[in-house]
Amino acid sequence: MSCELPATELPIESRLEAVCDALVRHNRALLVAQPGAGKTTRVPLALLQQSWCQGSKLLLLEPRRVAARLAAGFMADMLGEALGETVGYRMRGESRVGPNTRLEVVTQGVLTRMLQDDPMLEGVAGILFDEFHERSLEADLGLALTLDVQQGLREDLRLLVMSATLDVEALRQVLGADTPLIDCPGRQYPVSTHYRPLNQRKELAAQQAEVVEEALATSGGDVLVILPGVAEIHRLERELHRRRADLPIKPLHGRLPLSEQHDALVPMAGQRVVLATAIAESSVTVNGVKAVVDAGLERVPVFQARTGLTRLETRRVNRASADQRRGRAGRQGPGWCFRLWAEEQPLVAHAEPEMRQSDLAPLAFELARWGVAQPEQLSWVTPPAKGVLDAGRDLLKRLGVLDHKHQLTPLGRQCARWPVHPRLAVMLERAVQFDAQPLACALAALLESGDRQREPDLAKALQQRLNEPRVYQWQSEYRQWQREAKRLAKLAGCSLEVKGYTAMGSLLALAYPERIAQRLEPGRFRLAAGGLATMAVEHPLAHAAFLVAVELDGDPRQARIFKAVALERQGLEALYPETRHWQTRLEWSATQGRLLGEEVQALGAVILARRPLTQLPAQAVRTALLEALRRRGTLVLDERSQQLLGRMALLRREQGDEWPDWSQAALLETLEEWLSPRLDGITRLDAVDRLPLATFLLESLPWPLRARMDERVPERLTVPSGSQVRVDYSACSEGGEPVLAVKLQEVFGWQSSPAVVQGRVAVVLHLLSPAQRPLQVTRDLASFWSNGYVEVRKEMRGRYPKHPWPEDPLNAPASARTKRRS
């Protein structure tokens, strides 16, 4: 937000009337306002004065807590009031609102909870989505739910989507083609851009520090450095202090106390350097900055549905974000931007929405709360991917919060009280059975605060944090969960001081059941979900029989464990009683090509005991064989089967859905229908490959279709010589044509090429020499007789004198024999 000039000097002032008018005539609008325009603080205050807003309040959504606090504070200052009067803010665990607050600046998760608690949004006249280009998961969900409310309950609810860069076409597909668009230029001074690519083989912080010193000397003002994470901030801060001990350096990131965040935004006498994460990319103006040093990197959590793990990836920033960062240098005057990459480095145009790269378990949980069984019931800018959403639902079922119909269980309804990931909500809700609510609150605070202690043992890490209450982010989260637990559990008069850690393993096993891990050897573990995980063999936890691996790096082959806690076998068996019962476990051996079986006491891939299985269940064998075929991805087809599938593909292509889909992909999907009944007594995949698949498929075809098939795509055609020659349909499965390979002398007298499928498809003729070698390939036999035959006759009659080569093939007798035999 830009707050250093009077209101009349901000570009948005010239567009306020258009924005207000659009929301009088429509209940939805789009505002594209370039950086520095002043949209974040001017537009909400202007809309408060509109008649449709009188007696009600507005919600302004900000993607980051820092931006929400600062925006609310600045607007309150503009009105000459304290926070909590006309303007306030609300975020998880913290709020400054009062009975007269009419403009609430909220973080995006707060809107979701407000909608879930009160879908009518009583007393709210409008919602403003700021910086929507960041496309967070919560922003996309919030917009989808808001549109659902607007369409079904609150047609009078106003909706404004704002950002510097918007995909207007995609948004209009959701909001409506007639949604008004207001475009506002920014206030941008010239920025000189310089590229300073780093040598990846040398120490990066030292090279970055050199560019920072260049920026200080060139600009003569403050320098903003944008880095991918807090670790990089600390490294560069140490390097700069080593070089210039007197240089003021101000970190800026979400883990800092509010006072330190404010401090980084306020200019001071002399030059300074602000080291920030992407928090400084948009929404917040760092005053006094004349130069930006952009590392060109961002840290993105990427969820992998197959493993259920989230991998934190550091990747190149997108072009839109790079332009936003560059613009920070030109907000208050001419500036300089130093980019730490080569000018020719390609950048993707826009950031990928979180919807496409995040864990969708929280989204699945909110959809269940909303009563939506299928996401298609809502309007999405980017719909959730089915596979990732299904993975999220599977996790929720494992946690016990969803049933098989994707509806909330009684535990799920209880978990909805906690504003946290469903994993931790389950832990907090079920902590009462261990009399461990204080411990659960402390764990939730530790995990939600993004604690980055190097200690892998969560029990020790928690003890350290409890003895260091001055750590801001930890302290804030801990107090929040204590208050929430007292409120929900009605423990107002009780102490929530942590007094023991014995239940920690059980609590976390409830929240992370698929990350329960069994030691294979010191430092190497098998996860219940099936993957492998490792940790340094020197650490005591590396020798624990069982762990709960809470935080891993997401490597799909062998994840590295960052945070874990030991788990006793007795605790595991108490939490998951199925581990005490023998389960039949069948496994397909690709090397042996057959099914192997045993009985186990297990939780997923964590096996507590095993014994051999003397007899394999027939249905289980059939199921395993079918799954093995699907994993392989192909059916082994003999010549007859290839011809049959080609004939059917041609019929389906020419005559439509009357004919079944017998493509390899379709047959693999429907194995249960046509192949499974034929597998009795078969336990090996190579035995399946020898089965007469064509016979099974023909038997599955209704008799009328089978008869029409033989009529329309006959296996053989009668040629003029009287021979029955086989038609080759194998290419038809890939979109090709039927082929008839026949000796030239056998088709004398044929006026034109034969056709199949009731005359629709001409058969490609491969006319052969007496030695069965191709002489001509044609779809037009009449043309061949007129044009090509003369040359063929001239060349062949001397080579094969015993075979007839008449001058008039159309009236010559066809024969498969030589002249003498004839």
Side-chain angles (χ1 to χ4, degrees), residues 719-721 725 738-754 763-790 792-793 796 800 805 809-810 814:
V719 298
S721 68
V725 182
V739 172
L740 184 71
V742 60
K743 194 168 74 169
L744 177 60
Q745 282 74 15
E746 296 200 59
V747 298
F748 290 159
W750 240 355
Q751 300 289 326
S752 59
S753 298
V763 176
V764 178
L765 290 173
H766 287 204
L767 301 175
L768 308 178
S769 73
Q772 302 295 309
R773 293 186 175 87
L775 294 174
Q776 186 75 22
V777 174
T778 182
R779 296 175 182 80
D780 187 350
L781 185 59
S783 176
F784 169 71
W785 293 139
S786 301
N787 303 307
Y789 175 71
V790 174
V792 169
R793 177 177 180 269
M796 292 291 110
Y800 300 103
W805 300 98
L810 289 175

Side-chain angles (χ1 to χ4, degrees), residues 35 52 531 821:
W52 53 265
R821 293 180 65 191

Side-chain angles (χ1 to χ4, degrees), residues 501-524:
Y501 302 87
T502 55
M504 183 179 289
S506 295
L507 289 174
L508 291 171
L510 290 170
Y512 299 90
E514 83 287 7
R515 298 187 195 174
I516 293 172
Q518 181 180 31
R519 189 189 70 224
L520 302 177
E521 57 183 294
R524 191 164 177 265

Side-chain angles (χ1 to χ4, degrees), residues 242-257:
R242 187 185 68 79
R243 291 168 177 253
R244 293 180 55 176
D246 60 334
L247 179 65
I249 300 174
K250 300 291 183 181
L252 177 59
H253 54 80
R255 296 188 209 162
L256 292 172

Side-chain angles (χ1 to χ4, degrees), residues 25 44 85 172 193 333 513 550 618 648 680 701 717 776 782 798 807:
R25 293 181 291 107
E85 295 185 30
R172 275 184 164 162
T193 305
V550 174
M648 185 61 75
D680 286 345
L701 197 64
L717 289 176
Q776 186 75 22
E807 290 186 9

Side-chain angles (χ1 to χ4, degrees), residues 224-487:
L224 170 65
V225 186
I226 302 180
L227 297 162
V230 176
E232 288 82 359
I233 286 176
H234 292 330
R235 280 197 288 270
L236 183 53
E237 183 178 17
R238 288 194 297 269
E239 178 64 23
L240 288 171
H241 274 312
R242 187 185 68 79
R243 291 168 177 253
R244 293 180 55 176
D246 60 334
L247 179 65
I249 300 174
K250 300 291 183 181
L252 177 59
H253 54 80
R255 296 188 209 162
L256 292 172
L258 181 59
S259 59
E260 293 185 30
Q261 294 174 13
H262 272 293
D263 190 35
L265 300 174
V266 178
M268 57 189 299
Q271 287 183 290
R272 64 178 181 141
V273 175
V274 178
L275 305 179
T277 58
I279 196 174
E281 184 178 304
S282 59
S283 299
V284 175
T285 290
V286 183
N287 291 300
V289 167
K290 289 189 177 181
V292 167
V293 176
D294 182 6
L297 301 171
E298 60 182 353
R299 192 150 291 143
V300 180
V302 178
F303 179 72
Q304 300 160 313
R306 187 177 65 83
T307 63
L309 301 177
T310 296
R311 187 181 183 90
L312 204 59
E313 293 186 0
T314 302
R315 58 174 61 165
R316 282 283 172 194
V317 74
N318 61 82
R319 189 163 61 249
S321 292
D323 291 343
Q324 287 264 19
R325 296 176 178 192
R326 177 181 180 273
R328 296 285 133 182
R331 297 290 289 268
Q332 298 168 314
W336 291 261
C337 178
F338 295 84
R339 289 175 165 173
L340 303 183
W341 66 89
E343 186 171 4
E344 60 272 16
Q345 172 71 48
L347 302 177
V348 298
H350 296 283
E352 191 172 26
E354 279 190 6
M355 187 70 75
R356 291 180 179 165
Q357 54 191 3
S358 293
D359 172 12
L360 296 188
L363 178 74
F365 185 72
E366 296 297 342
L367 291 180
R369 289 189 66 195
W370 197 249
V372 171
Q374 299 301 327
E376 295 81 13
Q377 295 174 246
L378 299 177
S379 300
W380 303 92
V381 181
T382 301
K386 183 180 184 304
V388 184
L389 184 62
D390 287 346
R393 284 172 165 168
D394 288 343
L395 172 62
L396 296 180
K397 291 172 187 174
R398 197 178 299 124
L399 293 172
V401 300
L402 278 194
D403 61 21
H404 68 283
K405 295 181 179 179
H406 309 322
Q407 297 176 344
L408 292 179
T409 63
L411 174 62
R413 289 190 288 274
Q414 290 294 103
C415 288
R417 306 185 303 171
W418 301 92
V420 69
H421 192 289
R423 289 184 185 275
L424 299 184
V426 167
M427 179 186 73
L428 289 160
E429 194 63 37
R430 294 187 62 182
V432 66
Q433 71 189 70
F434 301 97
D435 192 24
Q437 298 98 319
L439 178 60
C441 290
L443 278 171
L446 187 71
L447 297 172
E448 283 290 288
S449 66
D451 188 84
R452 287 296 178 266
Q453 294 179 87
R454 294 185 177 181
E455 173 53 61
D457 189 337
L458 272 168
K460 292 183 179 178
L462 182 59
Q463 291 178 37
Q464 292 171 7
R465 277 291 174 256
L466 289 170
N467 294 327
E468 299 175 31
R470 296 177 64 185
V471 177
Y472 167 75
Q473 191 67 22
W474 149 254
Q475 185 184 55
S476 174
E477 294 283 353
Y478 187 30
R479 288 176 177 172
Q480 172 202 340
W481 293 116
Q482 285 180 315
R483 290 193 300 268
E484 197 71 10
K486 287 184 176 182
R487 180 179 68 83

Side-chain angles (χ1 to χ4, degrees), residues 90 97 120 218 467 626 711:
R90 190 191 302 268
V97 297
M120 287 294 293
T218 303
N467 294 327
L626 299 185
E711 173 195 339

